[in-house]
Amino acid sequence: MDRREFIKACSVVLLMQAFAGCRRVTLDTSSSMPSLEDFVNEVKMAASRSKPGFDLVQIPMPSALKQSGASPLNRFGMAIDLDACNGCGKCILACMQENNIPLSSKERRAAGQFMHWIEMRGGTPSMCFHCGDAPCEKVCPTGAATHTPDGLSTMMYKRCTGSRFCGANCPVGARKFNYDDAVKEGLSRRFNSEVPLRSKGVMEKCSLCLQRLQDHKYSHMAQFPGNEWRGTGVETACAGACPKHAIIFGNWLDPASPLVKAAKRKNIYAPAEVAALDPSVVYLRGNR
Amino acid sequence: MYRIPICIGMVLLLLGAAAFGVSLWDGPAAWHTDMRTLWGTPIALFVLWIGLAHAGTLISAIFLALGFPLDRRTSMIAELSTLCSLVVAAMFPLLHLGIIENFYMVVPFLDARGNFANMRSPLVWDCCSIAVYAIASSIFFVTHLLSEKRESLKKMVRPMSWLLFPLVLWVHTVVSLDFAVTFVPEWRGAFFPLYFICGAIYSGLALVIILLMAEHCRVRLLEKLMLALSWVMAAFWLWEFMLKGTFSFEVVFLGAIVPQLLWLRPIRDNSFVIMLVAVSAILSLGLERYVLVTPSEYNVANAFGWVDMGLVVFSLGLFVTLFFMLRVRLRKPLEGDDVVMGELSVQDEESASPVKGELSNNFHLLRLPLLVGFLAMLLYVLWAVSVFPDPMTSLSVANIVPLCLPLLVLVAMVVLCARPFWLVLNRRTKYAFVALMGVAGVLAGMFWAGGSSVAAPGAVSVQELATFKPAEKVWEARCASCHGKDGLFNEKFVREFYPVPQKLSLERLDSLGTDSLVSVIMHGRINMNAYGDRLTEEDARGLVLYMRLLAGEGR
Amino acid sequence: MKYLVAGFLALLCGFFLADLVFRQKMPELQPMAQIPFDHSLHGDSIGLDCSHCHGGSHFQSRAHMPSKKDCLDCHRLPLTEKPGIEKLDSLLALSGEFPWNHKNILPEHVVFHHGLHYAAGVQCSDCHRPLDGADYRGGLARGKPYSMQMCVDCHARKTFGEKDFKPAAVYCGACHR
């Protein structure tokens, strides 16, 4: 056999091996829809494996964003009242239903990697803190992670290329990567027709229920053109589901917002990792 | 010739191909990741190979620029290893992506939708620097390859090496910034750029030493340099240990202790042992990159799955196959007429590099390209700062600075070598040039168009405000076609087709009363349609109130 | 020299060819339902507003298609002496509850609110105006398929310079989710 033939033979084997590698995965795909009970069970499982809590440090009340172009009227945020929260995990389930979050595959579950946007940390829920000075947005190469003038850290999934740089640069690990094609593997269920499903290979995270804010804002602006919109009356799915009313959604720049009213009565804390990054989501503890 | 290395490379490539296929298909789920490790093996391999890629340009360009004596064949081998390592290195960031076909979104140019890559991200700097580095070192390699017979190209080699010198250092600085700008405690430190550059040069030297062994040749200068760099790396590891209190025994042992064997004369004289030392240096750096990218897992053996191992093997196999096949293919132009290898003798050195004499000449050659490059860079910076549509993500000039040098070097390089190259090209290569331009155009067009979005399959419901159905809008939608927007009939429609409705007046509204009006709206009367199935009673009451308003205005 | 020119031409051709192939595709144009319909007979000529048939167009996110009942509001009586009206009436009588159905042309990650645009002073015909002589068709704005570029250009005030629209949001989160 001369060299040319040898190389040819090797190339053929190479191609076949690469294809063999590809095929392994396509064979075991089933697409069934998980039941609500599956979601409940997964939330229970995740809550039972609560990660260690944060070191909380006291911070002043969030004020308007410092970036140019930020809205002087709105900065949406959330507060989690640690005195009221008992760690029941209902917020996680509500979040999954609102945002069509898929179940995690078996291997991911074993590694403790859940897709949940809300996680239990030391018995209290934690999600993306929507830092005003968000480190994840700075390193996103494509500009898929951006800030809205209203203070939300948003993800544009169609623009995401899955470099996972944002995930590596999130101090609290709030970003979740879609390792699996949840729809194909029957892990996904579309509870809410308003929220598109994310494809395999993109990063996702808490959006502060962006869709609810958008709907409310546009209806309001159509109804009262020229009238200022402050997001009065909107709440996130987790806030709505909390039986103890421990999660309070609102507008930090609106004195009439329930969020500001609650935060004025209590001390405001944030995890030490993000305290210097101007978080919009905070913890409340102890009456002032 | 080189049949054994090619066979070894092929076998490794075949073994690794399955792992590569799985990674390609399965995406990042294929290799090891965990709670803190979002990146994993491909990025470790990328950093390693991009480091190995530095050897060629370093040895060739920097030694040439500084006037060190090295013969042509050694430099060519080193440059060829750079090109092959770059090919290997470029595969891994692509493999690493969650959605590989979206890679073009990282390129910092506008597309038709007004999307722009986020130039604040080190990854964008990274992508651009490496692309420019690949183009520049290919041009350099080809120039060097063809320069043997052609005087016009020979003149270009030296100025080109000056352009490459800063670029090669720049590239690895930018790669290190991928890590240094993040929040991961293990990755922080201002020493990272220097640390990465030294590591890159160290491993690159080791690679070239091994490749020269395959040529049955040794270059003492490189071995000395490697030994010196092992001390530099040891210093960095000590520094890191003092800062963070962690170090990996395997890395330090293989990278800093084993190379000290070179102090012993019998070992120094044995080429096989030298090769082993070089392998240990590369292994150390590879391990070090892996430990770095996988911060949570110090126990490398536990984390390493078969796919991870397969990717390592694949990269090795690809490099070896690629390198030796090109080596065989380019045997004639690579080796040229001289059979001498290694360092030139002292006399040769003096005749070969009269540094001062050539300096001004080279400088003249570089003046115009540098000027053009600088202008192009300036234009790009101005354009990029002005083009941003959204003030929330606006750029500062500091974000673009990392792209300036690569851009300058790229433009200067093209301007420098365009003319001499054009004169050298024959008809076939000119056709190839036209074809290449066509392909570039297609790629740019694809990038610009950005693909077509697909309409939603089902209806996307949008939550309307619950309270939201103002009477005015309902009137306009349901009543205005006959009764007129202002309550005074729609003349065009009513007069032509329907009998004229009753006139709207407050007296009439009062005499009929709200309830009976609501009932008319809901159930209809004579020519008036029934709207009971399309409006709620509440809507109807709102309409009656609105009618009163209209009647009042009519007065 | 001629190779340089050829190379440049190849670059341009390649670019425009690829742009043509990969740009936003024309949406699948649906045939009108079996009932013949002419917008020009139902519009300004008889003083009707778009919102009379497309009920949500002035205040809701979706404009909606009229139901059979909406048609019968007027078509209960024979409206013209033109020949063919009996055929129309019989077709209308035969058709189902919703003779016209609408297919999405927006991808699911895009939000568009008709009412919001109406409130901002944008007329229906600014986006939905057909090419001269043609009837309105779903999915085409001035004969071109809708594209993100079209939205962004108007939001950034690059188009419709003759109208005094206010500059609108250009951040991603305004229209995408």
Side-chain angles (χ1 to χ4, degrees):
Chain A
M1 190 193 268
D2 72 349
R3 197 177 67 230
R4 186 161 296 187
E5 272 176 46
F6 173 70
I7 291 172
K8 261 187 209 161
C10 283
S11 315
V12 171
V13 179
L14 177 86
L15 273 179
M16 282 167 62
Q17 271 206 279
F19 278 126
C22 296
R23 273 186 64 84
R24 189 185 69 96
V25 194
T26 39
L27 290 179
D28 54 359
T29 49
S30 56
S31 55
S32 58
M33 186 111 64
S35 67
L36 184 57
E37 201 178 322
D38 294 333
F39 286 87
V40 175
N41 289 338
E42 190 181 271
V43 169
K44 265 186 208 152
M45 180 201 244
S48 68
R49 289 204 222 157
S50 177
K51 292 181 190 172
F54 291 116
D55 281 340
L56 295 181
V57 293
Q58 205 163 350
I59 57 164
M61 191 182 293
S63 54
L65 290 172
K66 285 159 198 77
Q67 287 94 328
S68 67
S71 160
L73 291 174
N74 302 326
R75 177 177 180 185
F76 295 104
M78 216 151 60
I80 300 162
D81 191 340
L82 295 183
D83 299 329
C85 175
N86 62 358
C88 65
K90 288 207 170 66
C91 46
I92 304 181
L93 188 67
C95 175
M96 292 183 90
Q97 285 178 294
E98 170 72 18
N99 293 301
N100 299 325
I101 298 171
L103 296 171
S104 306
S105 67
K106 239 182 257 162
E107 305 91 64
R108 297 286 141 203
R109 266 189 239 183
Q113 290 171 303
F114 295 101
M115 288 304 294
H116 306 167
W117 292 357
I118 306 180
E119 284 180 305
M120 283 297 168
R121 295 260 189 139
T124 51
S126 98
M127 65 285 285
C128 169
F129 287 91
H130 293 266
C131 309
D133 189 19
C136 50
E137 291 165 12
K138 286 185 187 147
V139 298
C140 170
T142 60
T146 49
H147 229 72
T148 71
D150 295 341
L152 308 186
S153 174
T154 51
M155 270 301 290
M156 297 305 124
Y157 300 112
K158 293 288 165 192
R159 185 76 187 154
C160 180
T161 179
S163 72
R164 310 197 283 301
F165 207 159
C166 52
N169 207 23
C170 177
V172 292
R175 288 176 165 264
K176 310 287 161 171
F177 185 68
N178 279 282
Y179 284 100
D180 306 295
D181 194 333
V183 177
K184 236 184 212 163
E185 291 177 27
L187 298 168
S188 188
R189 182 176 177 133
R190 192 159 189 168
F191 292 102
N192 184 355
S193 71
E194 276 193 65
V195 180
L197 300 174
R198 276 75 59 185
S199 62
K200 172 181 173 175
V202 302
M203 268 287 178
E204 60 181 62
K205 68 167 192 76
C206 162
S207 65
L208 275 186
C209 290
L210 173 71
Q211 64 280 1
R212 293 188 176 199
L213 283 165
Q214 281 175 339
D215 289 348
H216 192 270
K217 180 177 180 182
Y218 299 151
S219 294
H220 178 98
M221 282 166 72
Q223 187 175 10
F224 313 107
N227 198 327
E228 278 159 1
W229 175 71
R230 318 272 329 235
T232 315
V234 187
E235 65 174 1
T236 54
C238 51
C242 183
K244 304 262 180 189
H245 303 292
I247 303 181
I248 308 140
F249 177 83
N251 183 350
W252 283 116
L253 306 184
D254 181 7
S257 158
L259 175 66
V260 176
K261 284 183 191 155
K264 273 191 177 145
R265 289 195 301 269
K266 300 203 143 201
N267 292 322
I268 305 177
Y269 291 87
E273 291 95 327
V274 296
L277 299 174
D278 192 15
S280 300
V281 177
V282 298
Y283 291 107
L284 302 179
R285 193 164 65 189
N287 289 325
R288 192 179 277 185
Chain B
M1 200 185 176
Y2 303 118
R3 197 160 287 167
I4 297 172
I6 290 180
C7 286
I8 295 176
M10 285 280 194
V11 169
L12 291 178
L13 194 63
L14 291 179
L15 287 176
F20 188 73
V22 169
S23 311
L24 211 57
W25 188 261
D26 230 356
W31 57 84
H32 170 79
T33 53
D34 59 36
M35 302 289 290
R36 285 194 59 211
T37 309
L38 278 158
W39 291 355
T41 316
I43 290 299
L45 283 172
F46 159 70
V47 179
L48 176 70
W49 282 103
I50 202 82
L52 293 173
H54 280 49
T57 326
L58 174 92
I59 289 170
S60 220
I62 298 185
F63 283 11
L64 200 63
L66 298 177
F68 270 94
L70 256 194
D71 78 307
R72 185 164 169 278
R73 189 160 143 199
T74 312
S75 345
M76 296 304 300
I77 294 286
E79 279 164 37
L80 187 58
S81 88
T82 291
L83 287 185
C84 298
S85 316
L86 269 177
V87 170
V88 178
M91 297 187 73
F92 286 106
L94 287 179
L95 186 67
H96 158 85
L97 292 180
I99 301 177
I100 298 173
E101 59 270 28
N102 280 358
F103 77 95
Y104 69 87
M105 291 177 178
V106 178
V107 182
F109 281 97
L110 269 186
D111 70 4
R113 299 172 190 197
N115 285 328
F116 201 84
N118 176 17
M119 298 231 294
R120 294 178 296 173
S121 167
L123 212 61
V124 172
W125 312 335
D126 208 15
C127 155
C128 295
S129 308
I130 288 169
V132 169
Y133 183 49
I135 296 173
S137 28
S138 319
I139 296 179
F140 186 62
F141 178 73
V142 174
T143 313
H144 211 163
L145 202 67
L146 299 177
S147 68
E148 185 72 359
K149 299 268 160 54
R150 296 177 181 85
E151 204 51 43
S152 60
L153 288 181
K154 208 165 199 166
K155 271 196 309 194
M156 298 292 150
V157 175
R158 205 98 195 272
M160 264 189 202
S161 70
W162 285 355
L163 285 177
L164 271 175
F165 186 3
L167 185 67
V168 71
L169 301 181
W170 193 258
V171 169
H172 227 73
T173 305
V174 168
V175 171
S176 78
L177 289 182
D178 281 354
F179 295 87
V181 299
T182 61
F183 272 84
V184 181
E186 287 86 347
W187 293 352
R188 304 189 77 177
F191 66 95
F192 255 65
L194 271 181
Y195 175 40
F196 266 52
I197 289 173
C198 288
I201 294 176
Y202 183 43
S203 56
L205 276 176
L207 180 69
V208 172
I209 288 172
I210 296 172
L211 294 176
L212 285 177
M213 291 285 174
E215 308 266 333
H216 304 293
C217 146
R218 288 177 58 186
V219 180
R220 303 272 175 198
L221 178 68
L222 300 184
E223 284 163 21
K224 280 183 227 163
L225 208 59
M226 191 175 85
L227 189 59
L229 275 166
S230 77
W231 281 96
V232 176
M233 288 314 288
F236 274 119
W237 283 320
L238 188 68
W239 188 349
E240 200 182 14
F241 176 67
M242 284 180 357
L243 268 183
K244 295 163 189 165
T246 55
F247 84 106
S248 159
F249 172 73
E250 297 93 334
V251 169
V252 175
F253 176 77
L254 289 172
I257 295 173
V258 172
Q260 307 314 321
L261 290 174
L262 292 184
W263 289 107
L264 306 172
R265 178 173 287 275
I267 287 179
R268 205 158 57 211
D269 288 342
N270 185 340
S271 355
F272 185 70
V273 180
I274 297 253
M275 198 166 90
L276 285 186
V277 170
V279 169
S280 118
I282 294 179
L283 207 59
S284 147
L285 262 289
L287 272 179
E288 194 261 347
R289 302 311 191 210
Y290 187 79
V291 171
L292 189 79
V293 171
T294 320
S296 54
E297 224 73 36
Y298 235 56
N299 191 350
V300 174
N302 278 354
F304 233 56
W306 74 270
V307 174
D308 301 68
M309 203 62 227
L311 286 178
V312 175
V313 168
F314 179 78
S315 72
L316 200 62
L318 185 62
F319 175 80
V320 172
T321 318
L322 204 60
F323 178 84
F324 284 103
M325 279 178 136
L326 280 176
R327 172 78 184 81
V328 171
R329 180 114 216 173
L330 297 174
R331 189 163 62 207
K332 271 207 186 122
L334 259 185
E335 287 169 9
D337 297 330
D338 59 344
V339 278
V340 222
M341 286 289 293
E343 293 161 80
L344 299 184
S345 64
V346 183
Q347 294 93 328
D348 287 346
E349 175 195 338
E350 272 168 7
S351 61
S353 57
V355 178
K356 279 182 189 137
E358 268 181 31
L359 197 63
S360 59
N361 191 16
N362 292 335
F363 180 71
H364 281 303
L365 270 179
L366 264 182
R367 265 190 317 193
L368 178 72
L370 276 181
L371 187 72
V372 176
F374 194 76
L375 282 179
M377 180 190 94
L378 214 63
L379 273 178
Y380 180 76
V381 169
L382 287 177
W383 174 76
V385 170
S386 67
V387 84
F388 244 81
D390 176 12
M392 288 295 289
T393 50
S394 62
L395 283 177
S396 74
V397 178
N399 300 134
I400 312 178
V401 164
L403 287 184
C404 289
L405 183 77
L407 194 67
L408 190 152
V409 170
L410 181 69
V411 175
M413 201 99 169
V414 169
V415 172
L416 179 70
C417 68
R419 220 183 117 70
F421 254 106
W422 193 253
L423 295 175
V424 164
L425 294 183
N426 58 20
R427 182 176 283 262
R428 229 175 73 199
T429 31
K430 282 183 182 173
Y431 278 128
F433 164 77
V434 173
L436 206 69
M437 290 292 269
V439 172
V442 169
L443 288 178
M446 278 167 70
F447 171 73
W448 170 259
S452 178
S453 42
V454 186
V460 180
S461 72
V462 174
Q463 210 77 48
E464 307 285 351
L465 277 188
T467 57
F468 187 53
K469 240 185 188 178
E472 183 193 349
K473 305 284 182 196
V474 178
W475 176 270
E476 277 174 22
R478 295 290 181 202
C479 318
S481 52
C482 295
H483 296 276
K485 225 170 178 168
D486 45 7
L488 298 174
F489 322 136
N490 172 12
E491 304 231 348
K492 281 182 194 166
F493 183 67
V494 162
R495 290 231 190 282
E496 197 174 334
F497 298 113
Y498 270 89
V500 181
Q502 295 289 343
K503 211 170 171 197
L504 193 62
S505 69
L506 276 179
E507 290 84 18
R508 214 181 126 69
L509 288 177
D510 284 339
S511 74
L512 286 169
T514 307
D515 284 340
S516 73
L517 280 171
V518 167
S519 132
V520 168
I521 292 171
M522 301 299 278
H523 306 297
R525 191 177 147 236
I526 318 173
N527 282 322
M528 170 80 187
N529 293 313
Y531 285 92
D533 42 2
R534 283 169 283 174
L535 295 176
T536 62
E537 195 170 320
E538 202 180 334
D539 292 333
R541 283 184 195 281
L543 279 176
V544 174
L545 283 178
Y546 187 68
M547 279 154 71
R548 299 187 70 89
L549 197 75
L550 284 179
E553 269 172 9
R555 307 252 111 185
Chain C
M1 195 60 211
K2 68 178 178 202
Y3 288 102
L4 266 186
V5 174
F8 187 67
L9 281 180
L11 186 78
L12 283 184
C13 290
F15 181 88
F16 287 112
L17 191 75
D19 184 38
L20 202 70
V21 174
F22 290 99
R23 75 196 321 176
Q24 183 69 48
K25 294 279 185 314
M26 282 278 193
E28 217 178 297
L29 285 184
Q30 305 165 65
M32 283 281 189
Q34 289 172 337
I35 303 166
F37 185 86
D38 188 350
H39 275 98
S40 62
L41 289 181
H42 292 79
D44 255 354
S45 61
I46 52 166
L48 289 193
D49 191 86
C50 305
S51 73
H52 182 70
C53 301
H54 302 288
S57 59
H58 287 357
F59 62 100
Q60 281 176 326
S61 73
R62 317 194 90 195
H64 300 306
M65 284 292 186
S67 68
K68 182 177 170 184
K69 279 212 180 88
D70 293 329
C71 300
L72 287 178
D73 276 351
C74 302
H75 281 275
R76 280 183 305 153
L77 304 178
L79 294 175
T80 153
E81 280 99 49
K82 277 187 196 153
I85 189 74
E86 296 90 4
K87 197 179 159 209
L88 177 92
D89 285 344
S90 61
L91 273 177
L92 197 54
L94 282 175
S95 77
E97 188 64 13
F98 299 99
W100 282 280
N101 67 345
H102 172 68
K103 221 163 116 191
N104 272 321
I105 54 165
L106 284 182
E108 42 182 359
H109 61 283
V110 180
V111 207
F112 179 86
H113 199 289
H114 277 95
L116 172 65
H117 287 83
Y118 182 77
V122 183
Q123 295 299 310
C124 302
S125 58
D126 289 342
C127 303
H128 292 295
R129 196 174 66 187
L131 281 179
D132 300 325
D135 202 357
Y136 288 82
R137 292 299 284 276
L140 290 184
R142 305 181 171 207
K144 286 190 202 149
Y146 292 105
S147 65
M148 172 170 157
Q149 195 179 4
M150 219 176 257
C151 303
V152 173
D153 279 350
C154 183
H155 273 225
R157 299 298 291 113
K158 283 185 195 152
T159 48
F160 290 101
E162 71 280 7
K163 306 215 166 190
D164 55 342
F165 298 147
K166 276 190 293 177
V170 286
Y171 59 92
C172 314
C175 313
H176 292 297
R177 50 172 63 160

